Amino acid sequence: MEQEIRVAGVIRESIVDGPGIRFVVFCQGCPHHCEGCHNPATHPFEGGIMTPVSKLVQQIRKNPLVKGVTFSGGEPFCQCAGFASLAEQLKDFGYHITVFTGYTYEELLAREDSDTNRLLSLTDLLIDGRFELDQKDLRLQYRGSTNQRLIDMDKTRSSGSVVLWKDENYQY
C-alpha cells in the first residue's frame, strides 16, 4: 500500500521557507501548540487531506524552477514515515530537503525511532525548536524565534555534533 501524508496544504513556489525556490508541504497535526504559531490551523490531527506521496512527487516535479522542498507544519515528525518516504523519492531527483520541527534535534535523536532517524538522514537543513513568542524576531532567516536553530545536517552527521547552517554554503 502506498504511503500517504495528512496534508494541510502546499505552496508551489516559496523563497522564505528555505534556500532557493522551494515547494512547501504543510502537514496536518501538531502537538506543540506554540503560542503565536504562524500556522495554528495545522494543529488538529483530524484535519487536512490524506495525500499519496506519489501525488506530491508529481506536483513537485512539474516546476523545473523548484530545487528544494520544505516540510513544515504542523509537525512533520508526527508523520515521519510518510515524510521519510517522500524525502527518499525526492532525493532520487536531487532535491534539497528542509524540515521544520518543534522538537529539538536532541529530542528527535532520543526517540531512537527508525522512521525518525530515516527522515533525519534524508534532511539537508533542519530548523528545530518550538516557536517562542517572547523570542520572536522578524529579521531571522527562515525561522520565527531566536531559540530555533538552522542545522546543517550533512555537516552534523559528519562531525557527530550540531553544526549550524550557513547560507553562503548553499548552491542556488
Side-chain angles (χ1 to χ4, degrees), residues 39-87:
N39 297 321
T42 65
H43 293 180
F45 284 90
E46 302 77 35
I49 298 169
M50 292 304 293
T51 307
V53 166
S54 63
K55 181 178 179 185
L56 289 167
V57 172
Q58 288 172 357
Q59 290 176 5
I60 293 162
R61 295 204 60 225
K62 283 182 182 177
N63 186 343
L65 297 176
V66 169
K67 303 296 184 212
V69 179
T70 297
F71 304 157
S72 193
E75 174 56 65
F77 281 94
C78 286
Q79 298 186 62
C80 49
F83 277 101
S85 176
L86 178 57

